[in-house]
Amino acid sequence: MKALCWHGKHDIRCDDVPDPRIEHPRDAIVRVTSCAICGSDLHLYDGFVPGMKTGDIMGHEFMGEVVEVGPENRKLKVGDRVVVPFTICCGECDQCRRGNFSVCERTNRNKELADKAFGHTTAGLFGYTHLTGGYPGGQAEYVRVPYADVAPVKVPGGLTDEQVLFLGDILPTGWQAAAQCEIEPTDTVAVWGAGPVGQFCVQSAFLLGARQVAVIDNVKERLAMAAGRGAIPIDFDEESVLERLNDLTQGKGPEKCIDAVGLEAHATRSLDSVYDRIKQAAMLESDRPHVLREIFYVCRPAGTVSVPGVYGGLVDKLPFGAVMNKGLTIRTGQTHVNRWTRDLLQRIQSGQIDPTFVITHTVSLDEGPAYYKTFRDKEDGCIKVVLMPGAASSPGAAPRAGA
Ligand SMILES: NC(=O)c1ccc[n+]([C@@H]2O[C@H](COP(=O)([O-])OP(=O)(O)OC[C@H]3O[C@@H](n4cnc5c(N)ncnc54)[C@H](O)[C@@H]3O)[C@@H](O)[C@H]2O)c1
Ligand SMILES: [Zn+2]
Ligand SMILES: [Zn+2]
C-alpha cells in the first residue's frame, strides 16, 4: 500500500510499504478514505519532537471503512464507517475508566521510554513517535487500529467524511481547550494561534458562552477566518498583544487564555523570541515558550490558562512567579478525544457545528509530501489539508486486495 513516511527533518515521502495485518484479536484494519495533516505533524516534520525513525508512517487524524476485524472485536464489523481518535485507549485501566483517555496506562507499547521522559507513560498515539508507542499512522491507504473495540466512533449515515473527520482530533481539541476554561458569560477568552485548532477554540468558546473572544496570529487569512466567525483579531506583527488585550478588558486582562500554538511559536519582535531561537538551535532548550510567557503575563489574576498546543520537552525562563502570585490555573493535555465525541457528533448532526469551514485544500495521498510544506508555510491561503488516499491510486475506492 501507499503511505506517507518520515525520512528525517523536512523529508516526508509517499512510499510503497507492506499492508498492515491483524496482530491482536481486538484489532481492526481500516481502509482510509480521508485523513488530514495536523499542526502536531509539523512538529515531527520540523524535527522538534524526538523519537521518530526512518520509514515511520505519519498521520493521526483519519477515518475510513472497516475491512477486517479481529476475532475478539465485538464492536466493529466489516463495512462499518468509522472515525478513529488519535489517542489509542484500552477502555479498562484506571485512567480510561475516569475518561482520561489520552493518559491510558496500557496502550503505549514503549512505556519505559515515556516513563523516562515524562515520569509516567501516556497513551499510545497513531503516527506520533516511538515515545508514544511507535504505532504506524493513518496517512496511508490502510491502517491497523489496535484496541479497535474501544475508541473508533461509528459514523451515522448521511454525514460526509469532511463533516466528521476532525472528530478524531482537532474538533475535540478545540472543544476541550475551551471546556477546560469553564467559561462564564462575562468572560473574555483570548486564543493564541488561528490555525485549525485555534479556529475550533474560537468556535467552542462562543458555543460555551464567552462574552468576547480575541484571536492572536500574524497570518491574515487565518485572522480573517476567525474574525468572520465573530472573534476580535489581533495581528502581533502590527500591534502589541498585551496592550490590545488590556484595552479589551478595561486593563484587567482576559479571564481565560488558550495557547493553540505550542512549541513552534514564531519569533515576534520581542527579545525573548530571539533568545528562544538561539537556545533551541544550540539544543539548550527544546521548545519555544513565547506564547506561554505572554499568557502568564497578561492573564487576569485568578484566571485560567488552557494549553492544547503541544510541548515536547524543556522550556526556559517561564515567569512562574506570575502564575503563582496571580493564582492562575493551568489546564492542558493531549485531548481525551472520546470524552467529547458523542456530544460533538450530535452537534454536527443537528447542524450546530459544521467543521468543514477550516478545509482549504483537498488532495491525493501522493501529493501529501508537498502539502506538508504548503501547510507549514501557510502558502496559498492554506489552513487545513485533507488527503484522500482513495484518490491517489485507486479512484472509486477499490476493495483491499486479499481482504
Ligand atoms: N492537545 C492536543 O491533543 C492537540 C491536538 C491537535 C493539535 N495540537 C496542537 O495544537 C497546536 C495548533 O495546531 P494547528 O493544527 O492549529 O497548527 P498550526 O501550525 O496550523 O497553527 C499554529 C498557529 O499559531 C500561529 N502562531 C505562531 N506563533 C505565534 C505567536 N507568537 N502568537 C500567536 N500565534 C502564533 C501560527 O501563525 C499558526 O497560524 C499545535 O501545537 C498542535 O501540535 C494539540
Ligand atoms: Zn493532531
Ligand atoms: Zn486505558
Side-chain angles (χ1 to χ4, degrees):
M1 67 161 183
K2 283 187 174 168
L4 299 191
C5 298
W6 188 91
H7 286 273
K9 188 174 168 181
H10 301 157
D11 188 1
I12 305 285
R13 301 180 202 163
C14 188
D15 288 342
D16 283 316
V17 300
D19 282 7
R21 296 276 165 233
I22 298 277
E23 292 174 22
H24 183 278
R26 291 170 72 176
D27 288 354
I29 304 291
V30 168
R31 178 177 65 80
V32 179
T33 52
S34 299
C35 54
I37 307 177
C38 176
S40 300
D41 293 325
L42 296 180
H43 307 321
L44 309 180
Y45 179 68
D46 290 334
F48 285 123
V49 175
M52 292 297 283
K53 293 184 187 163
T54 298
D56 282 348
I57 301 177
M58 300 286 295
H60 57 269
E61 198 168 29
F62 58 93
M63 63 177 294
E65 185 193 336
V66 175
V67 291
E68 217 178 316
V69 192
E72 272 177 33
N73 188 322
R74 276 172 269 284
K75 175 174 166 177
L76 297 180
K77 54 181 190 327
V78 170
D80 282 345
R81 202 164 148 241
V82 289
V83 176
V84 182
F86 76 97
T87 43
I88 303 169
C89 44
C90 76
E92 292 151 359
C93 71
D94 279 352
Q95 295 288 8
C96 281
R97 277 191 278 121
R98 287 171 170 77
N100 299 329
F101 301 111
S102 73
V103 289
C104 169
E105 295 167 340
R106 290 201 192 146
T107 52
N108 185 349
R109 55 187 181 179
N110 295 331
K111 185 178 173 313
E112 60 299 336
L113 288 181
D115 278 341
K116 228 178 248 164
F118 300 138
H120 298 276
T121 189
T122 56
L125 306 178
F126 288 99
Y128 216 74
T129 86
H130 290 265
L131 218 59
T132 53
Y135 290 101
Q139 287 167 6
E141 290 181 299
Y142 296 93
V143 60
R144 175 176 85 94
V145 180
Y147 298 90
D149 51 350
V150 182
V153 178
K154 287 192 206 176
V155 181
L159 295 171
T160 63
D161 275 20
E162 288 78 9
Q163 280 177 292
V164 292
L165 172 62
F166 305 138
L167 267 179
D169 183 357
I170 57 169
L171 180 61
T173 294
W175 187 265
Q176 175 171 300
Q180 291 189 147
C181 287
E182 291 171 14
I183 294 169
E184 314 241 1
T186 46
D187 281 348
T188 296
V189 179
V191 178
W192 276 253
V197 170
Q199 301 292 336
F200 287 137
C201 291
V202 167
Q203 181 183 49
S204 305
F206 278 124
L207 284 169
L208 291 167
R211 181 173 72 87
Q212 60 179 354
V213 180
V215 64
I216 300 125
D217 207 308
N218 69 340
V219 181
K220 302 268 179 293
E221 55 275 14
R222 295 182 173 208
L223 287 171
M225 179 181 273
R229 308 181 71 82
I232 300 159
I234 302 178
D235 185 333
F236 65 73
D237 278 343
E238 286 175 7
E239 56 185 325
S240 156
V241 175
L242 302 185
E243 279 172 26
R244 184 75 191 290
L245 287 173
N246 278 323
D247 284 351
L248 288 170
T249 54
Q250 292 78 46
K252 290 169 180 259
E255 290 92 337
K256 308 290 158 70
C257 296
I258 300 178
D259 173 355
V261 179
L263 64 93
E264 290 188 69
H266 299 318
T268 61
R269 283 170 301 182
S270 66
L271 201 58
D272 72 302
S273 293
V274 180
Y275 172 88
D276 284 332
R277 287 245 175 219
I278 294 166
K279 286 207 73 162
Q280 200 177 41
M283 314 268 267
L284 295 170
E285 178 180 50
S286 56
D287 305 1
R288 297 198 298 260
H290 169 74
V291 168
L292 284 179
R293 291 192 195 112
E294 206 158 68
I295 287 179
F296 291 166
Y297 196 73
V298 79
C299 187
R300 188 177 301 200
T304 297
V305 178
S306 176
V307 187
V310 163
Y311 289 84
L314 304 177
V315 294
D316 201 5
K317 298 257 184 303
L318 277 184
F320 211 74
V323 177
M324 188 274 158
N325 286 288
K326 293 203 284 186
L328 304 183
T329 298
I330 302 177
R331 305 207 48 196
T332 182
Q334 299 282 2
T335 303
H336 305 299
V337 178
N338 286 90
R339 197 191 282 179
W340 314 104
T341 42
R342 185 192 296 254
D343 178 28
L344 290 172
L345 183 57
Q346 277 168 4
R347 289 175 193 262
I348 292 170
Q349 279 186 291
S350 74
Q352 187 196 46
I353 292 179
D354 175 7
T356 61
F357 75 90
V358 293
I359 303 171
T360 50
H361 294 75
T362 302
V363 299
S364 65
L365 191 68
D366 40 19
E367 292 171 285
Y371 277 86
Y372 263 81
K373 184 173 185 311
T374 305
F375 176 47
R376 200 272 315 262
D377 295 342
K378 291 120 189 137
E379 288 162 354
D380 193 27
C382 185
I383 297 179
K384 186 75 178 175
V385 181
V386 172
L387 307 168
M388 299 189 68
S393 53
S394 52
R400 177 169 178 256

